Amino acid sequence: MEITITDNRFALNGVDMHFPLDIEQLKTLLGEARHVSKKYNHIYTWDTLGVLAYAKNGREVEGLTLDYISGFLDFSPASVFLGHFTINGIDYRTYIDRNIKSARKVNKWDEGGTLTIGDIDVWVDMEDKQLKGVAISRHEPPTPKVYSDKYKYQPVTGEKIEFTDFNFKLAVIQELMYNKELLKPAFDLYDFVKNYAGREIDVEEEGYEFIPEVTAYFETLEIDKKYATEITEISQDGGDDIYLHLLRFWDGEDDTFNIRDFEDVRHFPNLKRMNLFHADNLADIQAQLAEKGITVESI
């Protein structure tokens, strides 16, 4: 079997091909194939060639796979691919070695990736630096990503509350945004990341520390004074939404979000009760806020 891919040609055994491929033409070129019908696909296997073809409707082939692990699945070929395959005049293994660093990755754990040659995509499946398979299909340009502007900075129309203590502000946001659903949109970390155009943010990697762009969002978020009377109680809890979205993998075992300055209580005339994270100076806090008619307890 001979496969040729160049910037302007895809050929099998010297015959020019264009996706979607005709399964009958493939059988003429490669011989009869073993057919396995799955729920969403028809799979044609050339056991001695190490080749598979995938056709959703059973007739038009969207992709060819060259297999290097035989007999793994019921449709896997009995032999691995040993045919002659060149990309732009170079043996495909050499071409892959030279270009794999520039391949488009599915995620950071993807050892292989997709190489585009002309209007053909060559997806390289690798594990522990060993080639497992190569899939050939038509290149489909990715749909341009559309970003929502739901998290863009929006100044309040009225007078904003000026906070002294950022952690006090976070506790107020928890009450107004998540508990009472008055501040909108309700911030969702993964939705924010999906719609952030400035750079790619990896929550799983960066979520053990404050992500600068997320912190900046809450720092610049303005809260209208019209909501001040809504705050009658503040209750901090390690499982609060605000902390999970701001510091994704915080374990709640330190004083990261402890309120240290209570001057901000002056903004909230109806605030009568606060349930705070443990603090060594709890008695001092209780005495200070008791003078303002606020009862304080600690979790």
Side-chain angles (χ1 to χ4, degrees):
M1 181 179 182
E2 182 176 330
I3 302 173
T4 303
I5 295 177
T6 68
D7 289 335
N8 53 24
R9 188 184 186 214
F10 167 46
L12 291 178
N13 293 345
V15 178
D16 287 355
M17 308 293 288
H18 301 279
F19 284 102
L21 310 179
D22 185 336
I23 187 62
E24 296 304 324
Q25 184 182 24
L26 284 178
K27 291 178 181 179
T28 299
L29 291 170
L30 305 179
E32 281 299 319
R34 179 165 56 90
H35 176 216
V36 176
S37 178
K38 297 293 185 180
K39 184 175 182 180
Y40 298 109
N41 234 328
H42 292 264
I43 305 170
Y44 296 88
T45 303
W46 285 267
D47 282 295
T48 59
L49 298 178
V51 175
L52 304 98
Y54 295 84
K56 290 179 182 177
N57 62 12
R59 302 180 303 277
E60 296 176 319
V61 171
E62 296 90 11
L64 285 180
T65 295
L66 316 180
D67 211 344
Y68 298 87
I69 302 177
S70 60
F72 185 68
L73 298 167
D74 61 348
F75 53 81
S76 295
S79 301
V80 299
F81 177 77
L82 296 173
H84 185 246
F85 178 16
T86 61
I87 301 176
N88 281 338
I90 304 170
D91 177 77
Y92 73 103
R93 289 182 180 269
T94 301
Y95 185 92
I96 289 171
D97 288 342
R98 291 179 182 177
N99 294 277
I100 197 65
K101 288 183 179 180
S102 63
R104 300 192 306 280
K105 308 290 186 181
V106 175
N107 53 50
K108 66 181 181 180
W109 296 283
D110 186 4
E111 292 185 34
T114 301
L115 298 167
T116 299
I117 304 93
D119 62 355
I120 298 295
D121 273 347
V122 176
W123 179 67
V124 181
D125 183 13
M126 299 187 74
E127 185 175 322
D128 296 329
K129 298 182 179 181
Q130 298 298 312
L131 188 62
K132 294 178 62 181
V134 172
I136 302 170
S137 62
R138 179 171 57 194
H139 173 62
E140 300 287 350
T143 303
K145 188 171 182 179
V146 178
Y147 296 94
S148 168
D149 63 354
K150 66 188 290 186
Y151 295 110
K152 76 175 183 178
Y153 170 70
Q154 296 182 21
V156 297
T157 55
E159 187 178 358
K160 69 178 180 179
I161 300 173
E162 297 285 357
F163 286 90
T164 299
D165 188 291
F166 183 55
N167 286 341
F168 196 107
K169 179 181 181 181
L170 295 178
V172 170
I173 291 173
Q174 171 65 34
E175 185 68 14
L176 295 176
M177 180 177 288
Y178 298 106
N179 296 351
K180 297 198 170 192
E181 300 181 351
L182 294 173
L183 288 183
K184 297 182 182 299
F187 184 92
D188 179 273
L189 175 60
Y190 289 94
D191 187 48
F192 175 85
V193 166
K194 182 179 70 174
N195 286 289
Y196 186 75
R199 70 177 180 93
E200 185 173 337
I201 299 173
D202 187 338
V203 174
E204 303 308 308
E205 184 173 308
E206 301 179 48
Y208 294 91
E209 304 290 340
F210 286 102
I211 298 172
E213 293 85 352
V214 176
T215 303
Y217 176 85
F218 286 107
E219 287 176 337
T220 59
L221 180 67
E222 297 184 0
I223 300 176
D224 198 307
K225 279 192 174 182
K226 69 182 181 181
Y227 294 125
T229 56
E230 296 286 343
I231 301 298
T232 60
E233 179 178 351
I234 285 177
S235 183
Q236 293 182 300
D237 185 275
D240 284 343
D241 296 272
I242 186 64
Y243 307 127
L244 295 176
H245 291 300
L246 184 61
L247 185 52
R248 178 65 184 89
F249 300 116
W250 181 55
D251 60 11
E253 297 297 322
D254 55 45
D255 64 355
T256 298
F257 293 109
N258 279 36
I259 298 172
R260 292 173 173 80
D261 190 324
F262 290 88
E263 182 181 343
D264 291 320
V265 298
R266 62 191 172 89
H267 299 299
F268 306 99
N270 296 334
L271 178 59
K272 301 302 179 184
R273 186 180 185 86
M274 299 186 75
N275 195 22
L276 305 175
F277 290 131
H278 172 75
D280 292 335
N281 63 335
L282 176 62
D284 293 337
I285 295 172
Q286 288 173 322
Q288 174 189 348
L289 294 184
E291 295 178 359
K292 302 180 184 297
I294 301 172
T295 302
V296 176
E297 294 181 357
S298 177
I299 59 174

